[in-house]
Amino acid sequence: MLLELEMRMLDPEVRWTLNAQDISMTVWGLAKVQTENHEFLHEVADHVLSAGLIRDFGAQSIANTVWGFATLGIRHAGLMAAIAEQVVRPGFVDTFTPQGLANTIWAFAVLGIQNQRLASSIAERMMHDWFLYTFEPQELATAAWAFAKLQVWSPTLMESVADAAVVEGNLANFNPQSISMMAWAFA
């Protein structure tokens, strides 16, 4: 069935009607089932770029798309560069949820894609207006791990992450994976 769905999406009659949400949900779904058809996802990424659809991607669509590509280990440099440019547009990063921000920086880290402007934009958002304190333990650990993996070391950011982790006994809510990710990030 997946192959048939992929073929249908590549049909020009369908392809040109897809919107950002359709694409991001498809990428997310294919990542959840661990599709092996990476060629199809490269074609989807090329379509997003050639059709200029990236400008229509909101924060959730971006988070789902980068998560899907990273989960499958697909490093489409052009798409990731366009996504980074979308995220750093003035005010755009403010539309992300904590989970969306954590997943986005995580995806870039997993794929080994350095983008200083993206990392700086996400770090600034995390530290603005106590936003960091709205992160769940997994989101906090995921973001901290990603910044460390990307070798983006900001003492101010990491101090803020540490403060958010221990505020009001929050550390007791960290599961073993989140604890190990935080330990790795601060090592």
Side-chain angles (χ1 to χ4, degrees):
M1 179 186 84
L2 288 178
L3 182 58
E4 288 82 9
L5 287 173
E6 292 166 357
M7 295 302 295
R8 181 70 178 129
M9 283 187 69
L10 292 176
D11 181 323
E13 290 180 22
V14 174
R15 181 188 309 190
W16 293 105
T17 64
L18 296 172
N19 62 35
Q21 184 177 4
D22 297 332
I23 292 166
S24 71
M25 288 175 58
T26 299
V27 170
W28 182 88
L30 291 174
K32 287 294 280 185
V33 298
Q34 293 291 304
T35 185
E36 294 181 13
N37 191 350
H38 292 190
E39 181 181 328
F40 169 75
L41 289 170
H42 277 279
E43 289 183 39
V44 168
D46 291 341
H47 171 68
V48 167
L49 296 174
S50 67
L53 289 174
I54 198 66
R55 69 181 173 270
D56 298 331
F57 275 61
Q60 188 64 50
S61 292
I62 284 176
N64 288 348
T65 301
V66 297
W67 180 88
F69 273 78
T71 297
L72 294 170
I74 300 172
R75 192 176 197 266
H76 192 287
L79 179 63
M80 295 305 152
I83 284 173
E85 286 304 310
Q86 176 78 343
V87 173
V88 301
R89 284 184 25 231
F92 191 87
V93 75
D94 297 338
T95 64
F96 277 87
T97 63
Q99 182 182 15
L101 276 183
N103 286 351
T104 299
I105 197 66
W106 172 86
F108 276 78
V110 166
L111 294 172
I113 299 174
Q114 296 278 346
N115 188 303
Q116 188 60 44
R117 288 182 58 218
L118 174 74
S120 294
S121 181
I122 290 175
E124 287 172 19
R125 174 60 183 128
M126 286 174 65
M127 292 185 295
H128 186 70
D129 287 340
W130 298 90
F131 186 59
L132 193 57
Y133 292 89
T134 67
F135 279 52
E136 295 293 329
Q138 181 179 354
E139 297 158 354
L140 199 59
T142 298
W145 177 89
F147 281 108
K149 176 81 171 155
L150 290 169
Q151 298 178 343
V152 176
W153 189 256
S154 162
T156 305
L157 172 63
M158 296 311 277
E159 286 173 22
S160 297
V161 167
D163 289 346
V166 299
V167 71
E168 298 178 13
N170 192 32
L171 201 53
N173 298 317
F174 279 65
N175 66 25
Q177 181 184 18
S178 295
I179 292 168
S180 66
M181 289 174 82
M182 289 290 279
W184 192 91
F186 282 89

